Amino acid sequence: MNVLFFYASIVALLVIFFITVMKKKFTVRHMVLMLGYGLYNLIFELIFGEILGLYYYIEKGHSLVYTIIASLFLYPVIAVLYVFYLPERKKVVYTAGFTVAALIMEIFSLYSQTIVLTGWRILPWSVISYMVSFYLINLFNSFLLRVLPEP
């Protein structure tokens, strides 16, 4: 069930991503955002999951493989989907909604044992990490909008 949920989540998000890309313009900015956020997440997951051992994916012995896969195909897609629909106003409400959706996804991951917590706690750590992550996505996206203006 855990491996199925892991890959089904990736496939579902990729399908949503490709449908969105057909409707919205995918630019160099989005690609750079994906690369930057994927790298950020890989470092975050390595520190908190692999080095500190606060959680792991699916099987402790193979967690690194799943961490790399998620950092390549899951988290960057979430970041770009977040930016694609980011409103000019009410960013806090939008970000709160995305945070709630991420928490729901995490809870399903816990029930399916895709993520196994060994020291990490949803409250407060996941909530804080999602808020910081979305804030960093906003900052990075604002920076990229200045240096890579849309055509």
Side-chain angles (χ1 to χ4, degrees):
M1 177 73 149
N2 49 13
V3 175
L4 177 65
F5 183 81
F6 180 77
Y7 287 113
S9 299
I10 291 172
V11 169
L13 280 170
L14 284 172
V15 166
I16 293 167
F17 173 76
F18 286 119
I19 290 170
T20 302
V21 166
M22 290 189 302
K23 296 179 180 190
K24 301 242 182 206
K25 189 174 183 181
F26 185 75
T27 64
V28 172
R29 173 177 57 95
H30 296 110
M31 181 60 73
V32 173
L33 180 70
M34 287 180 87
L35 292 170
Y37 192 65
L39 180 61
Y40 160 78
N41 253 340
L42 180 61
I43 292 167
F44 182 95
E45 298 280 330
L46 288 174
I47 291 170
F48 290 101
E50 296 298 315
I51 295 170
L52 297 177
L54 297 175
Y55 57 86
Y56 62 89
Y57 286 89
I58 301 171
E59 298 174 34
K60 196 168 189 156
H62 296 99
S63 183
L64 181 59
V65 173
Y66 294 110
T67 296
I68 292 168
I69 292 169
S71 294
L72 288 172
F73 298 107
L74 184 67
Y75 299 119
V77 172
I78 292 170
V80 171
L81 288 172
Y82 171 80
V83 166
F84 268 146
Y85 296 102
L86 186 64
E88 290 293 320
R89 295 182 171 181
K90 298 188 179 185
K91 288 182 182 180
V92 173
V93 174
Y94 176 77
T95 301
F98 242 84
T99 300
V100 169
L103 288 168
I104 290 169
M105 180 79 164
E106 184 173 342
I107 289 168
F108 283 127
S109 296
L110 292 172
Y111 282 119
S112 68
Q113 295 185 333
T114 301
I115 297 173
V116 178
L117 302 180
T118 57
W120 185 267
R121 298 292 173 249
I122 292 177
L123 292 174
W125 307 121
S126 291
V127 175
I128 293 169
S129 70
Y130 291 135
M131 290 183 340
V132 168
S133 291
F134 289 126
Y135 177 73
L136 290 174
I137 291 170
N138 273 303
L139 281 179
F140 192 40
N141 186 54
S142 295
F143 169 75
L144 292 174
L145 281 170
R146 285 192 307 276
V147 297
L148 297 171
E150 301 289 318

